[in-house]
């Protein structure tokens, strides 16, 4: 469970001030006492810190908690977005940001706005991606000057926070009776978030739905298999359908698989789960021979096609395992095998592990973005070790499928 936070904490210290404790929630959850029980003494000390981290996300004062309209109604739901109060260039990428600000219009309103969007994208960990960019008119190009991170409500962030709420509820229930009201509070927060996600961020797979209604989301999605997506803050409409003037974009993002990992689909029956695996996962253009691509948009940014990032592989694989059906577990094993074989093939020449890989080409490191591909590499090693612990007999030397 710990590796999910890597997708949020891929940033400089500037963006980690309130994010590291999110990871601590799962460290606290994994810390055992005698006979496999939770260490309640440790939890009693840790929970106030974890509560403060959650309060940071849920404070309306810092811009991350937002009210999102429910399309076709006068109602709204509360969800979260990435944001930054700071509208200055990033210290670690000052020159690059000054260049982008200059292209946007200098140090005036436009420049300050784009600086905030850059920082918000960095906070997400997806720095940078077409996911946060609006297409430039008929050219359909993606540019840093079109970043609109704060105008997008991300499905993965809200799935992470749902999981955080569920975990905090469980942790408070583990402690003394005095913590029981907190456990109930987080349980209710998780219930409300799940309802909000299924209301506007889940889109029915049923082909009998009219296309217009499908793209509004919600409705019967709590009862039928759905696919998940980001939505626009101003309208609550599906992000993939609002990227261009002609409303024809069909962008895909690996972030849409995170609800599986968060346990948002546990209420589906076996048939519904298998339908999701068949129609959403196995049919996805993101599943390639070298791994799961981050998006299907080739923008030359590093969190886009054809790059495949280790944490995103693990989130999908663990999410499929949580579904617990034969089809889901077989799909998880297949995705894991492809990833392990690609990592092994890339490792053989120089014994290097890369921070990201090319999903299109088995055994090749990734590229794009503000710097060259890095070697090392912590999360790459961690994901491989985690997968080998589950599938120790994987034939690494076999060709990628």
């Amino acid at each position: 469970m710990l590796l999910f936070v890597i997708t949020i904490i891929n940033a400089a210290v500037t963006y980690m001030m309130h994010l590291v404790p999110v990871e601590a929630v799962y460290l606290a959850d994994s810390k055992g006492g005698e006979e496999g029980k939770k260490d309640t003494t440790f939890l009693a000390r840790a929970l106030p810190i974890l509560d403060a981290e959650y309060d940071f996300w849920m404070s309306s004062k810092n811009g991350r908690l937002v009210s999102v309209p429910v399309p076709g109604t006068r109602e709204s739901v509360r969800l979260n977005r990435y944001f930054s109060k700071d509208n200055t260039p990033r210290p670690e990428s000052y020159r690059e940001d000054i260049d982008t600000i200059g292209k946007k219009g200098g140090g005036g309103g436009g420049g300050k706005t784009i600086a905030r969007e850059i920082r918000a994208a960095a906070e997400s960990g997806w720095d940078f991606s077409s996911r946060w960019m609006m297409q430039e008119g008929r050219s359909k190009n993606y540019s840093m000057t079109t970043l609109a991170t704060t105008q997008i409500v991300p499905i993965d962030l809200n799935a992470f926070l749902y999981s955080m709420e569920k975990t905090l509820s469980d942790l408070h229930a583990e402690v003394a009776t005095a913590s029981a009201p907190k456990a109930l509070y987080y349980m209710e927060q998780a219930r409300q978030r799940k309802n909000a996600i299924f209301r506007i961020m889940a889109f029915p797979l049923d082909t009998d739905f009219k296309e217009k209604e499908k793209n509004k989301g919600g409705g019967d999605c709590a009862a039928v298999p759905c696919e998940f997506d980001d939505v626009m803050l101003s309208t609550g409409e599906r992000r993939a359908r609002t990227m261009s003037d002609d409303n024809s974009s069909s962008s895909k993002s690996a972030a849409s698989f995170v609800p599986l990992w968060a346990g948002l689909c546990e209420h589906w029956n076996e048939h519904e789960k298998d339908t999701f695996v068949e129609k959403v996962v196995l049919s996805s253009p993101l599943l390639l021979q070298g791994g799961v691509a981050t998006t299907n948009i080739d923008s030359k940014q590093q969190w886009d096609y054809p790059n495949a990032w280790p944490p995103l592989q693990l989130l999908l694989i663990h999410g499929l395992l949580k579904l617990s059906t034969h089809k889901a577990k077989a799909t998880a094993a297949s995705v894991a095998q492809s990833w392990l074989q690609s990592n092994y093939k890339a490792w053989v020449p120089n014994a290097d592990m890369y921070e990201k890989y090319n999903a299109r080409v088995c055994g090749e490191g990734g590229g794009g973005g503000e710097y060259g591909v890095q070697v090392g590499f912590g999360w790459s090693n961690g994901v491989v070790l985690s997968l080998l612990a589950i599938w120790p007999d994987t034939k690494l030397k076999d060709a990628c499928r």
Side-chain angles (χ1 to χ4, degrees):
M1 297 179 72
L2 294 176
L3 283 174
F4 93 86
V5 82
I6 293 170
T7 63
I8 301 179
I9 306 183
N10 177 29
V13 174
T14 307
Y15 317 105
M16 292 175 65
M17 293 168 62
H18 289 278
L19 294 175
V20 172
V22 178
E23 184 177 24
V25 172
Y26 299 96
L27 287 170
D29 189 35
S30 65
K31 183 173 173 59
E34 295 180 1
E35 299 179 359
K37 296 180 180 179
K38 294 288 188 298
D39 185 339
T40 54
T41 302
F42 170 77
L43 287 180
R45 295 199 311 268
L47 280 173
I49 301 172
L50 306 182
D51 292 338
E53 164 64 13
Y54 180 75
D55 290 343
F56 167 81
W57 282 102
M58 300 306 291
S59 170
S60 58
K61 295 180 180 179
N62 63 32
R64 290 168 177 82
L65 179 66
V66 291
S67 180
V68 189
V70 178
T73 76
R74 295 184 178 181
E75 300 173 12
S76 62
V77 293
R78 292 199 318 165
L79 289 163
N80 289 82
R81 65 171 174 175
Y82 292 111
F83 191 74
S84 174
K85 286 186 175 181
D86 200 329
N87 58 10
T88 61
R90 296 168 294 161
E92 76 280 9
S93 298
Y94 190 84
R95 183 176 61 183
E96 291 86 348
D97 289 0
I98 286 293
D99 181 58
T100 301
I101 289 170
K103 292 177 181 177
K104 186 67 177 179
K112 291 180 178 180
T113 297
I114 199 63
R116 174 176 285 114
E117 300 298 343
I118 291 171
R119 283 177 170 270
E123 180 179 79
S124 79
W126 288 51
D127 49 330
F128 293 95
S129 171
S130 63
R131 185 180 172 204
W132 310 127
M133 298 173 183
M134 307 305 289
Q135 288 176 310
E136 294 182 305
R138 296 184 179 276
S139 69
K140 297 186 178 181
N141 292 329
Y142 295 91
S143 165
M144 289 286 290
T145 60
T146 68
L147 280 170
T149 319
T150 64
Q151 302 306 308
I152 296 164
V153 182
I155 182 60
D156 49 353
L157 171 61
N158 284 282
F160 292 148
L161 288 170
Y162 169 78
S163 179
M164 184 181 185
E165 289 158 347
K166 294 277 287 183
T167 304
L168 283 173
S169 177
D170 292 342
L171 293 179
H172 275 282
E174 291 275 355
V175 190
T177 307
S179 195
K182 275 285 189 179
L184 294 175
Y185 164 74
Y186 284 118
M187 186 181 299
E188 175 60 18
Q189 291 292 95
R191 185 193 68 79
Q192 291 182 20
R193 189 179 300 275
K194 182 175 182 177
N195 288 343
I197 288 172
F198 274 96
R199 193 162 189 199
I200 68 168
M201 306 185 83
F203 303 86
L205 294 171
D206 192 331
T207 54
D208 291 336
F209 278 75
K210 294 180 180 179
E211 191 69 16
K212 182 178 179 181
E213 296 302 314
K214 284 175 64 177
N215 293 329
K216 284 184 177 179
D220 296 327
C221 279
V224 302
C226 303
E227 57 183 340
F228 300 90
D229 207 348
D230 304 330
V231 298
M232 299 303 295
L233 172 60
S234 60
T235 64
E237 293 181 351
R238 190 174 189 177
R239 160 67 170 153
R241 303 292 175 175
T242 55
M243 292 177 65
S244 59
D245 294 337
D246 61 8
N247 208 35
S248 63
S249 177
S250 57
S251 66
K252 300 292 183 181
S253 160
S256 64
F257 298 137
V258 175
L260 293 182
W261 170 88
L264 279 159
C265 307
E266 292 177 350
H267 62 280
W268 288 344
N269 62 37
E270 182 173 352
H271 173 71
E272 290 168 341
K273 291 175 180 177
D274 283 348
T275 301
F276 180 92
V277 174
E278 185 68 35
K279 291 188 176 182
V280 177
V281 180
L282 291 174
S283 300
S284 173
L286 304 179
L287 262 65
L288 302 171
Q289 66 166 339
V292 180
T294 311
T295 72
N296 63 339
I297 304 295
D298 188 0
S299 71
K300 311 306 179 188
Q301 296 294 337
Q302 65 171 349
W303 285 84
D304 270 318
Y305 177 90
N307 285 339
W309 291 84
L312 297 180
Q313 317 302 306
L314 198 66
L315 286 166
L316 173 57
I317 291 166
H318 280 191
L320 288 166
L321 292 176
K322 280 189 175 184
L323 292 182
S324 297
T325 70
H326 176 75
K327 181 184 287 290
K329 289 188 284 188
T331 303
S334 177
V335 174
Q337 180 174 324
S338 295
W339 184 250
L340 289 170
Q341 289 170 345
S342 182
N343 278 228
Y344 178 77
K345 185 175 180 180
W347 175 83
V348 167
N350 301 303
D352 284 332
M353 297 292 291
Y354 296 101
E355 63 166 346
K356 56 183 176 284
Y357 291 82
N358 188 336
R360 185 176 50 195
V361 181
C362 177
E364 184 175 295
E370 294 181 315
Y371 57 86
V373 64
Q374 303 294 298
V375 297
F377 196 87
W379 61 27
S380 304
N381 297 329
V383 169
V384 165
L385 291 172
S386 176
L387 296 180
L388 287 175
I390 303 172
W391 294 282
D393 298 324
T394 301
K395 297 179 180 179
L396 298 177
K397 296 183 179 180
D398 288 357
C400 300
R401 288 186 281 180

